[in-house]
């Protein structure tokens, strides 16, 4: 009978060891792969849609700036009549066409009458037509508010495109981290499930062996403590997995409705190649060009261009204002030969602040803002460069660490099996087996953590390069 129970214990523990090495290799059919997860995020996440709104904002801002050059029709009608006396009746209509360098073409029709009409407003009975041009000679010629607004709007559109790409990149980065955290928690739970089952089998085998008189009663206590510890670790791992599942669910939406990952859906640990392909990292050897096209740097470049336009506008305002107008006058709008230099209306408007304190102050502020943006750009460029270099170093190190931890796990598995054989020969104890097994658990958890760190490092490289796919 005693020999029978010893054989039973050996068979049980052999089954236990095979469970350790093979339990986590089985892949459920209801898996959500990394590629499928990212596809849902890119297509349905509301922040992705919000990022696309920034492009519309840039286009709308550009449209508004172009409106400064829209042709315009103006009608001014003014009449006064009191006690059957018509004091004045004035009609002034104008059609204006603004152009780039502050030059404005306009056509005008005037019709004025009345007993108390200002003499300089007197026109022929059928009205007076005029066609002319107005422009600025100094301030406002090479650059003015309309020109500056349009230039800045074009640069702002470039900036919104870069900001949109940066926002999308960050969303994909955060979603990937949440998925890998879910993987790590799920695999950790599976590790404790397998070792809990092993502890249960071992406890049952030890109890039968004690009943047969092969082992002392204290071995049951030792095996039960190991079982309870494994159960406690599993409960903590399950809680961690559930929290990670909810965190990953934050990035899943369909038709503006948030989704929650069901309990029976599990992640699948992707290979490094799969992650790099999904994030378009595969095949990248030279990151110098990618650094220069980083969305953060492109956004700052567009900002600097806009500030340069603003500085040019402030500098232009140091010049005196000299506005000129010249209009040909005629009574017959349909006969071009009636326009001649003998009939005209002209005006000159000159103004110039004596101290220019407001203008000089605005120019200094514009220079400081531009200098600040340039410093920020230099700092960001260096940070991005160092971050990419650090991440590449981390990836190389983690690849080496993963290779080492795999060997360590294999060696610990051999030690556990060897300790079990010694235990059956009476040369060891459950305490030593449990101690060896705990080391094996720790090494498997470390291997799980390092494999996820490697995937996270690749995702961080994607984020550091500012890629958008």
């Amino acid at each position: 009978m005693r020999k029978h129970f010893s054989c039973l214990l050996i068979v049980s523990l052999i089954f236990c060891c095979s469970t350790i090495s093979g339990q986590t290799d089985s892949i459920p059919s209801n898996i959500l792969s990394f590629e499928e997860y990212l596809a849902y995020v890119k297509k349905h996440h509301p922040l992705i849609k919000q990022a696309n709104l920034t492009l519309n904002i840039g286009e709308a801002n550009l449209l508004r700036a172009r409106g400064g050059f829209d042709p315009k029709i103006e009608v001014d009608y003014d009449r006064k009549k009191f006690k059957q006396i018509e004091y004045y009746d004035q009609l002034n209509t104008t059609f204006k066409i603004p152009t780039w360098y502050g030059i404005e073409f306009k056509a005008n029709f005037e019709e004025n009458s009345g007993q108390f009409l200002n003499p300089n407003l007197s026109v022929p009975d059928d009205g007076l037509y005029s066609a002319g041009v107005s422009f600025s000679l100094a301030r406002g010629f090479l650059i003015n508010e309309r020109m500056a607004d349009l230039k800045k709007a074009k640069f702002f559109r470039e900036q919104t495109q870069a900001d949109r790409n940066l926002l999308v990149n960050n969303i994909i980065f955060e979603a990937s981290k949440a998925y890998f955290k879910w993987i790590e928690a799920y695999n950790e739970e599976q590790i404790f499930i397998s070792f809990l089952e092993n502890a249960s089998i071992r406890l049952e085998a030890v109890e039968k062996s004690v009943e047969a008189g092969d082992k002392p009663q204290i071995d049951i206590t030792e095996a039960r403590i190991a079982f309870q510890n494994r159960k406690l670790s599993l409960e903590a791992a399950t809680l961690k997995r559930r929290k990670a599942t909810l965190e990953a669910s934050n990035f899943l939406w369909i038709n503006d409705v948030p989704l929650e990952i069901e309990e029976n859906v599990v992640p699948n640990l992707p290979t490094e190649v799969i992650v790099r392909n999904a994030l378009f990292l595969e095949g990248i050897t030279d990151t110098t060009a990618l650094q220069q096209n980083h969305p953060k740097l492109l956004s700052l470049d567009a900002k600097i261009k806009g500030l340069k336009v603003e500085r040019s506008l402030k500098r232009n305002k140091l010049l005196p204002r000299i506005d000129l107008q010249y209009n040909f006058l005629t009574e017959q709008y349909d006969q071009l030969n009636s326009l001649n230099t003998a009939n005209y209306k002209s005006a000159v408007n000159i103004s110039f602040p004596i101290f220019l304190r407001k203008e000089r102050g605005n120019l200094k502020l514009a220079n400081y803002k531009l200098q600040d943006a340039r410093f920020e750009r230099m700092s960001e460029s260096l940070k991005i460069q160092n971050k990419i270099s650090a991440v590449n170093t981390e990836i190389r190190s983690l690849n080496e660490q993963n290779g080492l931890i795999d060997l360590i796990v294999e060696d610990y598995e051999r030690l556990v099996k060897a300790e079990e054989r010694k235990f059956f020969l009476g040369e060891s104890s459950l305490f030593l087996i449990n101690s060896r097994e705990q080391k094996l658990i720790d090494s498997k958890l470390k291997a799980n953590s390092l494999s996820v760190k490697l995937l996270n490092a690749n995702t961080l490289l994607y984020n550091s390069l500012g890629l958008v796919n």
Side-chain angles (χ1 to χ4, degrees):
M1 177 66 72
R2 183 174 300 175
K3 185 177 182 181
H4 170 74
F5 281 112
S6 297
C7 291
L8 177 62
L9 180 60
I10 293 173
V11 172
S12 300
L13 290 172
I14 290 175
F15 175 75
C16 172
C17 291
S18 65
T19 305
I20 292 176
S21 59
Q23 181 75 21
T24 57
D25 293 336
S26 60
I27 300 177
S29 59
N30 52 334
I31 61 174
L32 177 62
S33 69
F34 179 65
E35 301 97 309
E36 292 172 326
Y37 178 80
L38 277 191
Y40 277 110
V41 174
K42 293 176 184 178
K43 187 174 182 180
H44 299 287
H45 199 284
L47 287 182
I48 298 289
K49 298 177 182 179
Q50 181 184 6
N52 292 330
L53 285 179
T54 60
L55 299 180
N56 298 334
I57 293 173
E59 292 292 342
N61 194 64
L62 180 59
L63 179 64
R64 181 182 63 180
R66 284 174 174 162
F69 295 89
D70 288 346
K72 184 165 50 176
I73 296 176
E74 295 179 355
V75 177
D76 186 10
Y77 180 69
D78 198 5
R79 188 182 188 209
K80 181 179 179 182
K81 189 174 182 180
F82 182 66
K83 293 183 178 181
Q84 304 302 317
I85 298 175
E86 185 182 76
Y87 281 70
Y88 54 81
D89 191 326
Q90 299 173 224
L91 174 64
N92 192 323
T93 61
T94 306
F95 177 66
K96 297 180 179 180
I97 303 177
T99 60
W100 184 248
Y101 286 106
I103 301 173
E104 187 174 78
F105 296 98
K106 65 179 181 178
N108 180 267
F109 173 72
E110 253 184 292
E111 188 177 40
N112 305 320
S113 62
Q115 296 184 28
F116 298 97
L117 186 68
N118 192 326
N120 68 355
L121 297 177
S122 297
V123 295
D125 292 339
D126 293 332
L128 184 65
Y129 297 91
S130 65
V133 62
S134 65
F135 57 94
S136 299
L137 282 181
R139 181 189 300 185
F141 180 67
L142 294 178
I143 188 170
N144 53 51
E145 297 288 350
R146 284 198 303 252
M147 296 164 60
D149 286 344
L150 183 55
K151 287 182 178 180
K152 287 191 292 184
K154 290 180 179 179
F155 296 138
F156 181 72
R157 182 177 60 175
E158 296 177 10
Q159 186 176 356
T160 55
Q161 175 70 52
D163 291 341
R164 177 262 177 195
N165 291 342
L166 191 63
L167 182 56
V168 171
N169 176 278
N170 285 330
I171 294 169
I172 299 301
F173 172 62
E174 294 297 333
S176 300
K177 285 201 305 181
Y179 184 86
F180 297 145
K181 185 176 180 181
W182 180 29
I183 285 178
E184 182 178 10
Y186 172 77
N187 287 343
E188 185 175 323
E189 183 186 39
Q190 294 303 305
I191 289 171
F192 284 115
I193 286 175
S194 65
F195 280 98
L196 176 64
E197 185 177 350
N198 297 338
S200 176
I201 294 172
R202 183 177 294 138
L203 175 60
E204 183 179 351
V206 168
E207 287 174 345
K208 293 180 179 179
S209 182
V210 170
E211 289 179 4
D214 289 339
K215 297 294 179 185
Q217 183 72 27
I218 194 64
D219 280 357
I220 296 179
T221 303
E222 186 77 31
R224 187 166 56 243
I225 290 174
F227 174 77
Q228 296 295 342
N229 279 327
R230 304 290 182 265
K231 194 172 182 180
L232 180 63
S233 298
L234 175 59
E235 186 62 31
T238 301
L239 175 61
K240 181 179 178 181
R241 191 262 306 162
R242 287 173 178 167
K243 291 170 66 176
T245 303
L246 290 174
E247 188 172 334
S249 299
N250 291 336
F251 295 90
L252 293 180
W253 296 71
I254 289 184
N255 298 327
D256 298 331
V257 177
L259 302 180
E260 184 175 333
I261 299 174
E262 296 182 356
E263 191 73 17
N264 63 332
V265 177
V266 298
N268 183 28
L269 181 67
T271 63
E272 186 182 9
V273 174
I274 290 176
V275 172
R276 293 181 68 88
N277 283 328
L279 300 177
F280 291 87
L281 289 170
E282 197 64 31
I284 294 178
T285 54
D286 183 15
T287 60
T288 304
L290 292 174
Q291 291 177 38
Q292 296 303 318
N293 292 322
H294 194 284
K296 182 63 176 179
L297 298 183
L298 293 179
S299 177
L300 289 173
D301 287 340
K303 179 182 177 181
I304 290 172
K305 291 176 183 177
L307 290 173
K308 285 181 177 179
V309 173
E310 186 69 21
R311 183 184 63 177
S312 297
L313 180 63
K314 302 300 183 185
R315 184 181 294 163
N316 183 261
K317 288 188 177 182
L318 296 175
L319 300 175
R321 177 179 289 280
I322 306 175
D323 297 331
L324 303 179
Q325 278 193 61
Y326 187 88
N327 297 277
F328 294 100
L329 303 177
T330 181
E331 298 179 63
Q332 300 170 327
Y333 70 92
D334 56 344
Q335 296 182 14
L336 293 178
N337 57 6
S338 65
L339 297 173
N340 61 73
T341 56
N343 302 319
Y344 67 91
K345 182 172 66 174
S346 63
V348 177
N349 187 344
I350 300 176
S351 65
F352 184 67
I354 296 177
F355 298 111
L356 292 173
R357 285 182 289 193
K358 178 181 178 182
E359 289 75 11
R360 287 188 288 118
N362 286 334
L363 179 58
K364 285 185 177 181
L365 289 174
N367 281 324
Y368 293 148
K369 289 180 181 179
L370 181 58
Q371 192 175 19
D372 180 71
R374 284 172 171 167
F375 286 148
E376 183 181 1
R377 208 269 184 196
M378 293 170 57
S379 175
E380 286 295 332
S381 179
L382 181 61
K383 283 168 60 177
I384 290 171
Q385 180 181 350
N386 290 338
K387 189 176 180 180
I388 292 172
S389 178
V391 172
N392 281 322
T393 302
E394 183 181 4
I395 290 174
R396 289 192 294 269
S397 175
L398 286 171
N399 272 304
E400 186 173 349
Q401 290 181 52
N402 273 278
L404 292 173
I405 195 65
D406 288 341
L407 296 176
I408 292 173
V409 169
E410 291 177 6
D411 288 341
Y412 271 123
E413 287 176 343
R414 293 190 186 98
L415 283 176
V416 171
K417 291 178 181 178
E419 200 65 45
E420 287 169 348
R421 294 191 198 97
K422 290 169 63 177
F423 176 74
F424 296 132
L425 295 175
E427 299 176 1
S428 184
S429 65
L430 275 177
F431 173 79
L432 288 175
I433 292 177
N434 290 333
S435 178
R436 298 286 193 192
E437 189 178 70
Q438 184 59 51
K439 294 291 186 181
L440 176 58
I441 293 173
D442 293 341
S443 64
K444 279 183 171 288
L445 293 175
K446 184 67 174 179
N448 178 43
S449 175
L450 285 175
S451 64
V452 171
K453 280 184 178 180
L454 177 60
L455 300 182
N456 274 322
N458 281 275
T459 309
L460 183 58
L461 178 61
Y462 164 83
N463 179 251
S464 303
L465 291 171
L467 299 177
V468 178
N469 44 37

